[in-house]
Amino acid sequence: MAMGVEGVEGVAGELRSIYASGKTKTFEWRVSQLKAILKITTHHEKEILQALYSDLKKPELEAFLYEVSGVSSVCKYALKELHRWMMPEKVKTSMTTFPSSAEIVPEPLGVVLVISDLELSIFVLLSLEPIIGAIAAGNAVVLKPSEVAPATSSVLAKLLGEYMDTSAVKVVEGAVPETTALLETKVDKIFTQVVICTDCIRMLTSLPLKPGNSKVGRIILAAAAKHLTPVVLELGGKCPVVVDSNVNLKVTARRLISGKWACNSGQTCVSPDYVITTKEYASTLVDALSSELEKFYGKNPLQSNDLSSIINSRHFDRLKRLLDDEKVYGKIVLGGQRDEANLKIAPTIVLDAPEDSLILNEEIFGPLLPIVTVNKVKDAISLINAKEKPLAAYLFTNDKKLKEEFIRSVSSGGMAINEIALHLLEPTLPFGGVGESGMGSYHGKFSFDASAIKSQFLERDFPGCSCKIPTIHPREVKISESHVQWQYTPHSPCFDWLVVCYPRIVNLDQVRRTN
């Protein structure tokens, strides 16, 4: 729904009242809302695909696989596992609390805010997946979809309004003022996906911020800190791909193309941002990519219906600036063609751009792919570790030792060997960043866990307890630093109780009994 800033301020209060009524905590309500999302993907597939094409010229097959089918799979998985996720987890207790029983109970947090700022590659999936987790955990939810994709945002708002319980699940459309107002309200959890959104900087310009996604991340964290609200941040970063010379070159090239250009033309947080390979192998890899790209998009990729467009003119100009950098312009070995009228850029490969070039220091988020060469493939690890920790890191190799060293030495949010971005589609794996690429994680049960608190529960009984607390007379026991002096009548329960319940205090070797 579209509303002014004043209307936004009352949303959290309304949701908190609904949550306090206990409505969202019931198993039946959670199931009904998850089934409603499933109906949206089933009955309105064409409407969602048309909206994505309007915003991104996103090919129908790509949109179906990553958006509609992705949301449907996540929803079905949550419905199948929900009863198990909600069950308390019994845990063992120690002699300190004997006799007792204890369990961990997942309790909803309350009101969850989901900000889909500019995650365009899988816009619908990454907008709805945190909502699926939050609803499964029993929370009330407010979604702020990205204003940068207006058609998709409008469709989401309309369909969620028609199918969901609008008293507990609300959609707020708008731009920076609405996002700012939502961040200023008190909620219990914030999920946000931020890639490159310079407009959002206007929200908080007084902070000393670094360039890139972490800038918006710091803005959101600063706003959340006012209410001590926990945040799950997915920020992106420069995701590296290391290609060894012992791989199946044709398969490697196709998987690189699928993960880079066939996934929204590189506009994805887990898209390969640069490739590292050896000097001797670089030209071979470029030739293979060139050959396979022609099979994917033809001799004139700008005319291909399978290549997504850039989201808007502002991001098109940003990518042009990376290509027109005087340090990069002469390094383009493939592509570089542009169609500004249709906001398309052909798949472009840049070989050995200087380290201080813009393309190697800013997140690309587009169809440009620099290739960096090293003397030995193992040198790639130190090159990756010299930069900020990425959201994802990829390695193509048949060398078992190199794979083990890569996994052991490289720190990233996620990792895939001999594949690109496929880990994102596995519901049993968490998805999230580390350091500058984000914090927290979600996906499948991890979305449920991120939207709930693990409440601790311990119980002791009154009747039937074999170790009741005795009434201890002051003359009966004297506890000092060195030992316990004990004076008691035969069969007194006091000594037995101390030994069983407080073994650290009572040292049997230091206990002196006197009648």
Side-chain angles (χ1 to χ4, degrees):
M1 65 180 116
M3 59 179 70
V5 174
E6 293 181 359
V8 170
E9 293 174 351
V11 168
E14 294 174 15
L15 292 175
R16 198 168 295 283
S17 298
I18 292 296
Y19 173 76
S21 70
K23 179 181 183 180
T24 65
K25 297 181 182 181
T26 66
F27 177 79
E28 291 75 18
W29 183 87
R30 304 184 200 194
V31 169
S32 69
Q33 298 309 295
L34 293 176
K35 286 183 177 179
I37 295 176
L38 199 56
K39 285 182 181 178
I40 291 174
T41 61
T42 304
H43 299 160
H44 296 274
E45 175 188 321
K46 288 185 178 180
E47 197 170 346
I48 295 170
L49 296 181
Q50 287 172 358
L52 288 165
Y53 185 81
S54 174
D55 286 328
L56 292 160
K57 298 295 186 290
K58 200 162 191 175
E60 185 174 328
L61 178 60
E62 179 187 332
F64 174 78
L65 288 176
Y66 290 107
E67 306 279 5
V68 178
S69 178
V71 172
S72 178
S73 297
V74 171
C75 228
K76 289 176 182 177
Y77 181 72
L79 283 166
K80 178 183 177 182
E81 300 291 334
L82 181 59
H83 190 270
R84 187 180 305 171
W85 292 351
M86 291 177 62
M87 287 181 63
E89 176 189 353
K90 291 189 177 296
V91 294
K92 294 181 179 179
T93 56
S94 65
M95 288 299 296
T96 306
T97 59
F98 178 85
S100 64
S101 62
E103 56 188 20
I104 299 170
V105 182
E107 292 286 345
L109 290 169
V111 178
V112 173
L113 167 63
V114 179
I115 303 175
S116 182
D117 203 35
L118 185 55
E119 182 47 84
L120 303 173
S121 57
I122 33 183
F123 180 83
V124 177
L125 175 60
L126 292 187
S127 293
L128 291 183
E129 186 161 2
I131 292 179
I132 291 170
I135 288 173
N139 298 280
V141 184
V142 55
L143 169 66
K144 168 59 181 67
S146 174
E147 69 276 12
V148 183
T152 312
S153 174
S154 177
V155 165
L156 276 179
K158 180 176 81 73
L159 294 179
L160 289 174
E162 289 178 5
Y163 283 85
M164 306 295 288
D165 177 359
T166 54
S167 67
V169 180
K170 296 184 180 293
V171 181
V172 175
E173 292 187 277
V176 174
E178 286 76 15
T179 304
T180 306
L182 283 170
L183 287 172
E184 288 175 352
T185 61
K186 180 176 174 55
V187 294
D188 300 292
K189 188 84 174 209
I190 298 175
F191 287 85
T192 184
Q193 304 100 24
V194 180
V195 184
I196 299 176
C197 188
T198 52
D199 284 347
C200 296
I201 305 306
R202 301 203 303 267
M203 286 191 289
L204 245 170
T205 56
S206 60
L207 289 177
L209 302 173
K210 298 180 180 179
N213 308 337
S214 58
K215 182 182 290 187
V216 183
R218 286 173 170 81
I219 290 173
I220 293 169
L221 284 177
K226 296 178 182 178
H227 302 292
L228 296 179
T229 304
V231 179
V232 174
L233 278 176
E234 185 256 286
L235 299 176
K238 295 187 73 65
C239 301
V241 182
V242 179
V243 179
D244 200 355
S245 59
N246 59 11
V247 297
N248 183 320
L249 187 55
K250 185 176 182 179
V251 173
T252 299
R254 287 186 171 184
R255 289 179 181 177
L256 265 171
I257 293 167
S258 297
K260 176 67 175 179
W261 294 285
C263 190
N264 202 39
S265 200
Q267 296 171 102
T268 161
C269 55
V270 292
S271 170
D273 207 84
Y274 62 104
V275 172
I276 307 174
T277 191
T278 59
K279 296 181 185 296
E280 294 80 5
Y281 199 64
S283 59
T284 306
L285 179 61
V286 170
D287 291 341
L289 287 169
S290 175
S291 175
E292 295 301 322
L293 278 167
E294 186 173 330
K295 294 177 183 178
F296 270 69
Y297 302 110
K299 292 185 177 180
N300 188 356
L302 293 179
Q303 301 298 320
S304 173
N305 292 326
D306 295 322
L307 186 69
S308 299
S309 63
I310 308 305
I311 182 64
N312 57 32
S313 58
R314 178 168 57 81
H315 284 284
F316 186 89
D317 292 339
R318 179 184 58 80
L319 292 167
K320 274 177 39 179
R321 180 173 59 89
L322 298 181
L323 281 178
D324 292 340
D325 182 359
E326 59 181 10
K327 298 176 182 178
V328 169
Y329 191 77
K331 302 289 185 178
I332 298 174
V333 295
L334 180 69
Q337 301 90 349
R338 312 161 198 179
D339 180 357
E340 192 161 358
N342 293 307
L343 298 179
K344 281 193 172 185
I345 298 177
T348 302
I349 297 176
V350 179
L351 182 61
D352 276 332
E355 290 185 10
D356 59 346
S357 59
L358 293 175
I359 202 168
L360 289 182
N361 287 278
E362 293 185 11
E363 183 178 358
I364 295 171
F365 201 66
L368 320 180
L369 184 64
I371 295 179
V372 179
T373 60
V374 291
N375 293 321
K376 297 179 180 179
V377 70
K378 289 184 178 180
D379 296 339
I381 293 175
S382 58
L383 189 63
I384 294 170
N385 289 336
K387 300 179 181 292
E388 296 291 350
K389 296 177 180 179
L391 184 60
Y394 308 108
L395 170 67
F396 286 86
T397 186
N398 281 317
D399 187 335
K400 184 178 179 181
K401 289 184 178 179
L402 177 61
K403 181 187 74 173
E404 292 173 350
E405 184 177 355
F406 187 83
I407 295 172
R408 182 175 62 251
S409 303
V410 174
S411 177
S412 63
M415 191 174 289
I417 307 297
N418 298 328
E419 190 50 85
I420 300 291
L422 208 60
H423 64 288
L424 186 62
L425 303 179
E426 180 51 62
T428 57
L429 292 175
F431 173 63
V434 56
E436 292 286 314
S437 63
M439 62 179 64
S441 61
Y442 60 100
H443 207 32
K445 186 177 185 298
F446 300 95
S447 298
F448 178 92
D449 291 338
S451 304
I453 182 174
K454 293 189 175 183
S455 183
Q456 314 91 34
F457 175 78
L458 184 140
E459 181 180 7
R460 298 187 76 192
D461 292 331
F462 284 110
C465 179
S466 60
C467 296
K468 300 184 181 70
I469 299 177
T471 303
I472 304 176
H473 193 276
R475 293 177 298 175
E476 210 173 13
V477 62
K478 179 181 180 183
I479 301 176
S480 66
E481 293 182 1
S482 58
H483 65 282
V484 178
Q485 288 186 338
W486 187 263
Q487 294 179 344
Y488 71 106
T489 57
H491 308 295
S492 169
C494 299
F495 177 75
D496 295 333
W497 174 77
L498 280 171
V499 170
V500 171
C501 295
Y502 295 94
R504 295 180 181 178
I505 296 178
V506 182
N507 187 332
L508 295 177
D509 294 334
Q510 295 177 336
V511 173
R512 182 161 50 86
R513 304 185 183 188
T514 60
N515 290 328

